[in-house]
Amino acid sequence: MSVFRFLDQFRVSGTARMTGTHRFSAIGVAAATGAATLALGLAPAGAEQAAPSAEPKPAPAPVSLPVEPAAQAEDIAAGQGGLRAQFSGSYQQAQADAREAAAEEERKAGKAEREAAADRSHDRGGWGDGGNWGERDRGALERAYERERREAASYPDNLDGWIRQALAIMEREGIPGTYEGIHRNIMRESSGDPRAVNDWDVNARNGIPSKGLLQVIQPTFDAYHVEGTKYDLYDPVANIVAACNYAADRYGSMDNVDSAY
């Protein structure tokens, strides 16, 4: 209600004059009414009282669900199994390396004893040349051969073991050749059969058939047999070493042989 309408109401009611108190009251009411009207006019239409802002609450931490005992036991068992497999493989490899190192030491010791005994026999003639070996020298050779027999026991009784044992003897005796060259020629000559016999070629017709892994005839075996191996043409290791000794003499190495020799 405006101030003017308020004053008009007093005029209409027949009150010609206002007392001082009435004037001040009217003015106070009008002033209050005007202030309220002014306040309402300044407020934007449809505005609502803003809610007090609240501090943001931190997000709740993720909750880990408990692991089932059975699943936990399976994870532990799987981890232990992997560790056991890894340890077992490393242990087996270490054992194999230790056996190989021990065999190598045996070979070196045997070679040194044989060389020392050979030097003494050379100085005094040796067996078969009028020499007279004492018990000490004979014992040295026997110990050396005993070491070779123990070496043979450390190799598997198959083609791989025969070739590796033969290579050890060849290295000791200075006979050239490699695993690949020996294996390649064995597969061509006998397919890996230590009892193989050729009964159709010229040697067979002459009564001296080729035998063994590398198809050696008896005269060649006799001429190129290496001491410390069995004197048996069918023995796999003796056959390989004699054949490689012959090939080294004729072709430089068994590695250089690619056909019948």
Side-chain angles (χ1 to χ4, degrees):
M1 178 185 294
S2 68
V3 175
F4 301 102
R5 289 186 62 189
F6 180 79
L7 294 174
D8 287 342
Q9 285 180 358
F10 278 92
R11 293 191 188 97
V12 173
S13 62
T15 306
R17 291 177 181 269
M18 292 188 208
T19 65
T21 303
H22 288 158
R23 288 193 190 98
F24 285 112
S25 299
I27 292 170
V29 170
T33 304
T37 303
L38 181 61
L40 291 172
L42 293 176
E48 296 179 2
Q49 186 177 3
S53 60
E55 291 294 328
K57 296 182 179 180
V63 178
S64 300
L65 296 177
V67 180
E68 291 293 333
Q72 190 175 16
E74 289 179 1
D75 292 343
I76 294 173
Q80 290 177 343
L83 290 174
R84 280 196 298 270
Q86 183 178 0
F87 176 78
S88 177
S90 301
Y91 178 71
Q92 291 176 357
Q93 183 61 44
Q95 282 189 318
D97 293 343
R99 286 195 296 269
E100 186 66 25
E104 180 64 23
E105 289 299 323
E106 290 281 349
R107 287 193 292 270
K108 290 179 180 179
K111 181 179 180 180
E113 276 200 43
R114 282 191 301 276
E115 289 176 349
D119 290 341
R120 289 192 296 271
S121 79
H122 177 73
D123 293 340
R124 291 177 294 181
W127 284 336
D129 295 323
N132 182 22
W133 275 40
E135 289 299 321
R136 180 179 178 182
D137 296 322
R138 187 187 302 273
L141 278 181
E142 287 178 352
R143 287 192 299 274
Y145 291 142
E146 178 60 29
R147 283 196 179 90
E148 289 176 359
R149 285 191 289 272
R150 289 199 302 271
E151 286 176 19
S154 68
Y155 294 98
D157 189 22
N158 55 30
L159 182 58
D160 174 70
W162 301 331
I163 294 175
R164 290 196 293 117
Q165 185 181 350
L167 283 169
I169 297 171
M170 290 164 57
E171 181 182 5
R172 183 190 70 209
E173 299 295 335
I175 301 171
T178 64
Y179 188 104
E180 187 279 329
I182 295 172
H183 185 272
R184 171 168 45 82
N185 280 283
I186 286 176
M187 298 311 293
R188 186 191 66 251
E189 293 291 334
S190 67
S191 298
D193 180 8
R195 305 295 297 180
V197 178
N198 184 327
D199 57 3
W200 54 268
D201 67 359
V202 63
N203 291 321
R205 290 195 294 272
N206 292 334
I208 47 173
S210 303
K211 300 177 181 180
L213 289 176
L214 283 167
Q215 293 293 279
V216 182
I217 59 176
Q218 191 65 50
T220 300
F221 182 81
D222 294 341
Y224 289 93
H225 172 260
V226 174
E227 292 296 331
T229 63
K230 293 181 179 179
Y231 205 90
D232 179 2
L233 187 53
Y234 285 112
D235 179 75
V237 176
N239 187 284
I240 292 172
V241 175
C244 289
N245 195 20
Y246 166 75
D249 187 36
R250 291 290 301 273
Y251 308 103
S253 171
M254 181 61 77
D255 294 357
N256 299 329
V257 178
D258 292 308
S259 60
Y261 64 107

